[in-house]
Amino acid sequence: MQVAKSPLAVIDSHVHLDFEEFDAERERLVARLKSNGLKGAVIPGVSASQWPKLLTVAERHAFHYGLGVHPWYCTADWGQDIENLSKLLCERRGDPRLVAIGECGLDALHKASWETQLPCFEAQLQLAQRYDLPVILHSVKAHNEVLALLKRYPLERGGVIHGFYGSMQLAQRYVDAGCYIGIGHLLLEEKAKKLQETLVKLPLEHLVIETDLALVSLVKKSGFADKTGGSSLILHLLIEKIAKLQKKSNVLVSEQVFQNTLQLFDL
Ligand SMILES: [Zn+2]
């Protein structure tokens, strides 16, 4: 008799399951992910208008969440958003599902809002200090600026640089700043040589994995999996890839990465 192998336990450290895109399929998707080994997920907050939906989805599926203003959603009204964020954090203080500030950071490809991105990010680092929470960081072509601000606002609980793509040297600078390195689907791209080289050297205790899933269409397009099993299968593919690069077993990698995620968010 063949015994069905149970899938490795995984936590998605970054998934935008609150997005409207998932409304029609969320229930089925989440059920499928849970049967595929998904033990938990962290849904980052992106904008004030999206926070209520985020809270509903996190509550409904017993997932964790972050609260923040993503650089793409940073507008001239950022001051008001930060005030609302501060109020909401105060209200939610003590909610065990609230595990981070973010997604926040800097995105140099969104140059139009650079002047507002900077103070908005700074304000969120201050909130992370005040509420003693880790940060979920988004950084695109802005690593020097992000790292300089992390130095200026040191965080007891550190954070995670999500969707990391870079050299070992850059990864080390984030590790030194108290951050975990969030590895997503980019690692699965054949052409991502630099990231693969980084993963050969980067000690396992600094890694977490993520899907950064924001669109059902992306799951379909990725070719990694069918549309309802996609998310957790990507996580399993990431574990296999990291294990191969580090010459370790899938079980060892999955257990360490799982522990790292618990540690980072104090789950
Ligand atoms: Zn994200």
PDB file of all heavy atoms in Angstrom, residues 246-267:
ATOM      1  N   GLN A 246      22.199  24.900  -1.786  1.00  0.00           N
ATOM      2  CA  GLN A 246      22.973  24.799  -0.544  1.00  0.00           C
ATOM      3  C   GLN A 246      23.404  23.371  -0.236  1.00  0.00           C
ATOM      4  O   GLN A 246      24.011  23.119   0.810  1.00  0.00           O
ATOM      5  CB  GLN A 246      22.149  25.355   0.624  1.00  0.00           C
ATOM      6  CG  GLN A 246      21.761  26.811   0.432  1.00  0.00           C
ATOM      7  CD  GLN A 246      21.848  27.620   1.714  1.00  0.00           C
ATOM      8  OE1 GLN A 246      21.836  27.084   2.814  1.00  0.00           O
ATOM      9  NE2 GLN A 246      21.958  28.930   1.577  1.00  0.00           N
ATOM     10  N   LYS A 247      23.035  22.467  -1.135  1.00  0.00           N
ATOM     11  CA  LYS A 247      23.365  21.044  -0.950  1.00  0.00           C
ATOM     12  C   LYS A 247      22.878  20.523   0.409  1.00  0.00           C
ATOM     13  O   LYS A 247      23.626  19.920   1.193  1.00  0.00           O
ATOM     14  CB  LYS A 247      24.869  20.808  -1.108  1.00  0.00           C
ATOM     15  CG  LYS A 247      25.395  21.199  -2.484  1.00  0.00           C
ATOM     16  CD  LYS A 247      26.822  20.716  -2.665  1.00  0.00           C
ATOM     17  CE  LYS A 247      27.360  20.821  -4.070  1.00  0.00           C
ATOM     18  NZ  LYS A 247      27.166  22.109  -4.744  1.00  0.00           N
ATOM     19  N   LYS A 248      21.627  20.820   0.692  1.00  0.00           N
ATOM     20  CA  LYS A 248      21.004  20.351   1.936  1.00  0.00           C
ATOM     21  C   LYS A 248      19.704  19.640   1.581  1.00  0.00           C
ATOM     22  O   LYS A 248      19.261  19.705   0.436  1.00  0.00           O
ATOM     23  CB  LYS A 248      20.713  21.542   2.861  1.00  0.00           C
ATOM     24  CG  LYS A 248      21.994  22.178   3.405  1.00  0.00           C
ATOM     25  CD  LYS A 248      21.716  23.323   4.337  1.00  0.00           C
ATOM     26  CE  LYS A 248      23.026  23.791   4.960  1.00  0.00           C
ATOM     27  NZ  LYS A 248      23.298  25.213   4.701  1.00  0.00           N
ATOM     28  N   SER A 249      19.085  19.018   2.566  1.00  0.00           N
ATOM     29  CA  SER A 249      17.839  18.311   2.256  1.00  0.00           C
ATOM     30  C   SER A 249      16.660  19.293   2.286  1.00  0.00           C
ATOM     31  O   SER A 249      16.696  20.318   2.977  1.00  0.00           O
ATOM     32  CB  SER A 249      17.606  17.197   3.272  1.00  0.00           C
ATOM     33  OG  SER A 249      17.233  17.750   4.516  1.00  0.00           O
ATOM     34  N   ASN A 250      15.602  18.941   1.538  1.00  0.00           N
ATOM     35  CA  ASN A 250      14.397  19.777   1.521  1.00  0.00           C
ATOM     36  C   ASN A 250      13.823  19.931   2.925  1.00  0.00           C
ATOM     37  O   ASN A 250      13.374  21.007   3.311  1.00  0.00           O
ATOM     38  CB  ASN A 250      13.317  19.131   0.644  1.00  0.00           C
ATOM     39  CG  ASN A 250      13.696  19.148  -0.815  1.00  0.00           C
ATOM     40  OD1 ASN A 250      14.668  19.805  -1.213  1.00  0.00           O
ATOM     41  ND2 ASN A 250      12.948  18.420  -1.624  1.00  0.00           N
ATOM     42  N   VAL A 251      13.858  18.844   3.687  1.00  0.00           N
ATOM     43  CA  VAL A 251      13.281  18.872   5.035  1.00  0.00           C
ATOM     44  C   VAL A 251      14.041  19.862   5.915  1.00  0.00           C
ATOM     45  O   VAL A 251      13.455  20.688   6.605  1.00  0.00           O
ATOM     46  CB  VAL A 251      13.285  17.460   5.671  1.00  0.00           C
ATOM     47  CG1 VAL A 251      12.867  17.502   7.126  1.00  0.00           C
ATOM     48  CG2 VAL A 251      12.374  16.533   4.872  1.00  0.00           C
ATOM     49  N   LEU A 252      15.362  19.788   5.855  1.00  0.00           N
ATOM     50  CA  LEU A 252      16.171  20.688   6.677  1.00  0.00           C
ATOM     51  C   LEU A 252      15.903  22.152   6.320  1.00  0.00           C
ATOM     52  O   LEU A 252      15.697  23.000   7.188  1.00  0.00           O
ATOM     53  CB  LEU A 252      17.661  20.369   6.496  1.00  0.00           C
ATOM     54  CG  LEU A 252      18.581  21.076   7.471  1.00  0.00           C
ATOM     55  CD1 LEU A 252      19.595  20.107   8.029  1.00  0.00           C
ATOM     56  CD2 LEU A 252      19.280  22.275   6.853  1.00  0.00           C
ATOM     57  N   VAL A 253      15.868  22.429   5.004  1.00  0.00           N
ATOM     58  CA  VAL A 253      15.619  23.811   4.562  1.00  0.00           C
ATOM     59  C   VAL A 253      14.235  24.259   5.002  1.00  0.00           C
ATOM     60  O   VAL A 253      14.076  25.350   5.572  1.00  0.00           O
ATOM     61  CB  VAL A 253      15.770  23.937   3.021  1.00  0.00           C
ATOM     62  CG1 VAL A 253      15.282  25.296   2.536  1.00  0.00           C
ATOM     63  CG2 VAL A 253      17.225  23.716   2.613  1.00  0.00           C
ATOM     64  N   SER A 254      13.231  23.422   4.790  1.00  0.00           N
ATOM     65  CA  SER A 254      11.871  23.861   5.125  1.00  0.00           C
ATOM     66  C   SER A 254      11.732  24.090   6.624  1.00  0.00           C
ATOM     67  O   SER A 254      11.098  25.059   7.051  1.00  0.00           O
ATOM     68  CB  SER A 254      10.823  22.875   4.611  1.00  0.00           C
ATOM     69  OG  SER A 254      10.853  21.702   5.371  1.00  0.00           O
ATOM     70  N   GLU A 255      12.339  23.236   7.429  1.00  0.00           N
ATOM     71  CA  GLU A 255      12.220  23.413   8.885  1.00  0.00           C
ATOM     72  C   GLU A 255      12.896  24.696   9.362  1.00  0.00           C
ATOM     73  O   GLU A 255      12.354  25.445  10.170  1.00  0.00           O
ATOM     74  CB  GLU A 255      12.811  22.199   9.621  1.00  0.00           C
ATOM     75  CG  GLU A 255      11.834  21.036   9.609  1.00  0.00           C
ATOM     76  CD  GLU A 255      12.412  19.757  10.193  1.00  0.00           C
ATOM     77  OE1 GLU A 255      13.604  19.758  10.591  1.00  0.00           O
ATOM     78  OE2 GLU A 255      11.662  18.760  10.249  1.00  0.00           O
ATOM     79  N   GLN A 256      14.095  24.966   8.818  1.00  0.00           N
ATOM     80  CA  GLN A 256      14.817  26.166   9.249  1.00  0.00           C
ATOM     81  C   GLN A 256      14.079  27.441   8.821  1.00  0.00           C
ATOM     82  O   GLN A 256      13.920  28.375   9.602  1.00  0.00           O
ATOM     83  CB  GLN A 256      16.242  26.159   8.669  1.00  0.00           C
ATOM     84  CG  GLN A 256      17.057  27.408   9.006  1.00  0.00           C
ATOM     85  CD  GLN A 256      17.504  27.471  10.462  1.00  0.00           C
ATOM     86  OE1 GLN A 256      18.148  26.547  10.946  1.00  0.00           O
ATOM     87  NE2 GLN A 256      17.165  28.553  11.143  1.00  0.00           N
ATOM     88  N   VAL A 257      13.610  27.443   7.565  1.00  0.00           N
ATOM     89  CA  VAL A 257      12.913  28.624   7.051  1.00  0.00           C
ATOM     90  C   VAL A 257      11.608  28.843   7.824  1.00  0.00           C
ATOM     91  O   VAL A 257      11.226  29.981   8.128  1.00  0.00           O
ATOM     92  CB  VAL A 257      12.677  28.455   5.522  1.00  0.00           C
ATOM     93  CG1 VAL A 257      11.680  29.468   5.005  1.00  0.00           C
ATOM     94  CG2 VAL A 257      14.001  28.562   4.776  1.00  0.00           C
ATOM     95  N   PHE A 258      10.947  27.761   8.170  1.00  0.00           N
ATOM     96  CA  PHE A 258       9.716  27.823   8.971  1.00  0.00           C
ATOM     97  C   PHE A 258      10.007  28.482  10.317  1.00  0.00           C
ATOM     98  O   PHE A 258       9.333  29.418  10.749  1.00  0.00           O
ATOM     99  CB  PHE A 258       9.188  26.394   9.163  1.00  0.00           C
ATOM    100  CG  PHE A 258       7.775  26.312   9.656  1.00  0.00           C
ATOM    101  CD1 PHE A 258       6.730  26.159   8.759  1.00  0.00           C
ATOM    102  CD2 PHE A 258       7.486  26.351  11.013  1.00  0.00           C
ATOM    103  CE1 PHE A 258       5.402  26.067   9.205  1.00  0.00           C
ATOM    104  CE2 PHE A 258       6.174  26.267  11.465  1.00  0.00           C
ATOM    105  CZ  PHE A 258       5.134  26.120  10.564  1.00  0.00           C
ATOM    106  N   GLN A 259      11.064  28.000  10.973  1.00  0.00           N
ATOM    107  CA  GLN A 259      11.463  28.563  12.275  1.00  0.00           C
ATOM    108  C   GLN A 259      11.823  30.046  12.157  1.00  0.00           C
ATOM    109  O   GLN A 259      11.479  30.849  13.024  1.00  0.00           O
ATOM    110  CB  GLN A 259      12.677  27.803  12.843  1.00  0.00           C
ATOM    111  CG  GLN A 259      12.342  26.433  13.414  1.00  0.00           C
ATOM    112  CD  GLN A 259      11.240  26.489  14.466  1.00  0.00           C
ATOM    113  OE1 GLN A 259      11.190  27.392  15.291  1.00  0.00           O
ATOM    114  NE2 GLN A 259      10.320  25.534  14.409  1.00  0.00           N
ATOM    115  N   ASN A 260      12.531  30.393  11.081  1.00  0.00           N
ATOM    116  CA  ASN A 260      12.919  31.792  10.878  1.00  0.00           C
ATOM    117  C   ASN A 260      11.688  32.691  10.812  1.00  0.00           C
ATOM    118  O   ASN A 260      11.677  33.799  11.357  1.00  0.00           O
ATOM    119  CB  ASN A 260      13.693  31.957   9.554  1.00  0.00           C
ATOM    120  CG  ASN A 260      15.019  31.221   9.547  1.00  0.00           C
ATOM    121  OD1 ASN A 260      15.508  30.805  10.598  1.00  0.00           O
ATOM    122  ND2 ASN A 260      15.593  31.052   8.373  1.00  0.00           N
ATOM    123  N   THR A 261      10.653  32.198  10.115  1.00  0.00           N
ATOM    124  CA  THR A 261       9.445  33.010   9.942  1.00  0.00           C
ATOM    125  C   THR A 261       8.731  33.193  11.280  1.00  0.00           C
ATOM    126  O   THR A 261       8.252  34.285  11.593  1.00  0.00           O
ATOM    127  CB  THR A 261       8.507  32.350   8.896  1.00  0.00           C
ATOM    128  OG1 THR A 261       9.295  31.866   7.811  1.00  0.00           O
ATOM    129  CG2 THR A 261       7.480  33.327   8.391  1.00  0.00           C
ATOM    130  N   LEU A 262       8.702  32.118  12.084  1.00  0.00           N
ATOM    131  CA  LEU A 262       8.101  32.225  13.421  1.00  0.00           C
ATOM    132  C   LEU A 262       8.856  33.269  14.244  1.00  0.00           C
ATOM    133  O   LEU A 262       8.261  34.108  14.919  1.00  0.00           O
ATOM    134  CB  LEU A 262       8.161  30.885  14.153  1.00  0.00           C
ATOM    135  CG  LEU A 262       7.439  29.681  13.533  1.00  0.00           C
ATOM    136  CD1 LEU A 262       7.564  28.466  14.465  1.00  0.00           C
ATOM    137  CD2 LEU A 262       5.965  29.998  13.279  1.00  0.00           C
ATOM    138  N   GLN A 263      10.168  33.185  14.135  1.00  0.00           N
ATOM    139  CA  GLN A 263      11.047  34.079  14.899  1.00  0.00           C
ATOM    140  C   GLN A 263      10.861  35.549  14.482  1.00  0.00           C
ATOM    141  O   GLN A 263      10.677  36.426  15.316  1.00  0.00           O
ATOM    142  CB  GLN A 263      12.481  33.645  14.619  1.00  0.00           C
ATOM    143  CG  GLN A 263      13.554  34.367  15.406  1.00  0.00           C
ATOM    144  CD  GLN A 263      13.807  33.678  16.719  1.00  0.00           C
ATOM    145  OE1 GLN A 263      13.638  32.473  16.823  1.00  0.00           O
ATOM    146  NE2 GLN A 263      14.190  34.434  17.723  1.00  0.00           N
ATOM    147  N   LEU A 264      10.914  35.762  13.171  1.00  0.00           N
ATOM    148  CA  LEU A 264      10.803  37.129  12.633  1.00  0.00           C
ATOM    149  C   LEU A 264       9.518  37.812  13.099  1.00  0.00           C
ATOM    150  O   LEU A 264       9.538  38.938  13.580  1.00  0.00           O
ATOM    151  CB  LEU A 264      10.852  37.055  11.090  1.00  0.00           C
ATOM    152  CG  LEU A 264      10.336  38.253  10.302  1.00  0.00           C
ATOM    153  CD1 LEU A 264      11.159  39.507  10.569  1.00  0.00           C
ATOM    154  CD2 LEU A 264      10.363  37.953   8.795  1.00  0.00           C
ATOM    155  N   PHE A 265       8.385  37.121  12.956  1.00  0.00           N
ATOM    156  CA  PHE A 265       7.105  37.748  13.249  1.00  0.00           C
ATOM    157  C   PHE A 265       6.570  37.397  14.631  1.00  0.00           C
ATOM    158  O   PHE A 265       5.471  37.790  14.992  1.00  0.00           O
ATOM    159  CB  PHE A 265       6.070  37.357  12.182  1.00  0.00           C
ATOM    160  CG  PHE A 265       6.388  37.894  10.799  1.00  0.00           C
ATOM    161  CD1 PHE A 265       6.685  37.029   9.753  1.00  0.00           C
ATOM    162  CD2 PHE A 265       6.387  39.262  10.544  1.00  0.00           C
ATOM    163  CE1 PHE A 265       6.966  37.509   8.472  1.00  0.00           C
ATOM    164  CE2 PHE A 265       6.669  39.746   9.276  1.00  0.00           C
ATOM    165  CZ  PHE A 265       6.960  38.871   8.234  1.00  0.00           C
ATOM    166  N   ASP A 266       7.338  36.615  15.381  1.00  0.00           N
ATOM    167  CA  ASP A 266       6.927  36.164  16.697  1.00  0.00           C
ATOM    168  C   ASP A 266       5.545  35.498  16.623  1.00  0.00           C
ATOM    169  O   ASP A 266       4.625  35.861  17.354  1.00  0.00           O
ATOM    170  CB  ASP A 266       6.916  37.359  17.675  1.00  0.00           C
ATOM    171  CG  ASP A 266       6.809  36.902  19.120  1.00  0.00           C
ATOM    172  OD1 ASP A 266       7.084  35.711  19.381  1.00  0.00           O
ATOM    173  OD2 ASP A 266       6.434  37.714  19.976  1.00  0.00           O
ATOM    174  N   LEU A 267       5.396  34.547  15.726  1.00  0.00           N
ATOM    175  CA  LEU A 267       4.100  33.887  15.495  1.00  0.00           C
ATOM    176  C   LEU A 267       3.825  32.836  16.567  1.00  0.00           C
ATOM    177  O   LEU A 267       4.750  32.246  17.098  1.00  0.00           O
ATOM    178  CB  LEU A 267       4.070  33.236  14.107  1.00  0.00           C
ATOM    179  CG  LEU A 267       4.332  34.141  12.921  1.00  0.00           C
ATOM    180  CD1 LEU A 267       4.221  33.367  11.611  1.00  0.00           C
ATOM    181  CD2 LEU A 267       3.380  35.340  12.898  1.00  0.00           C
TER     182      LEU A 267
END
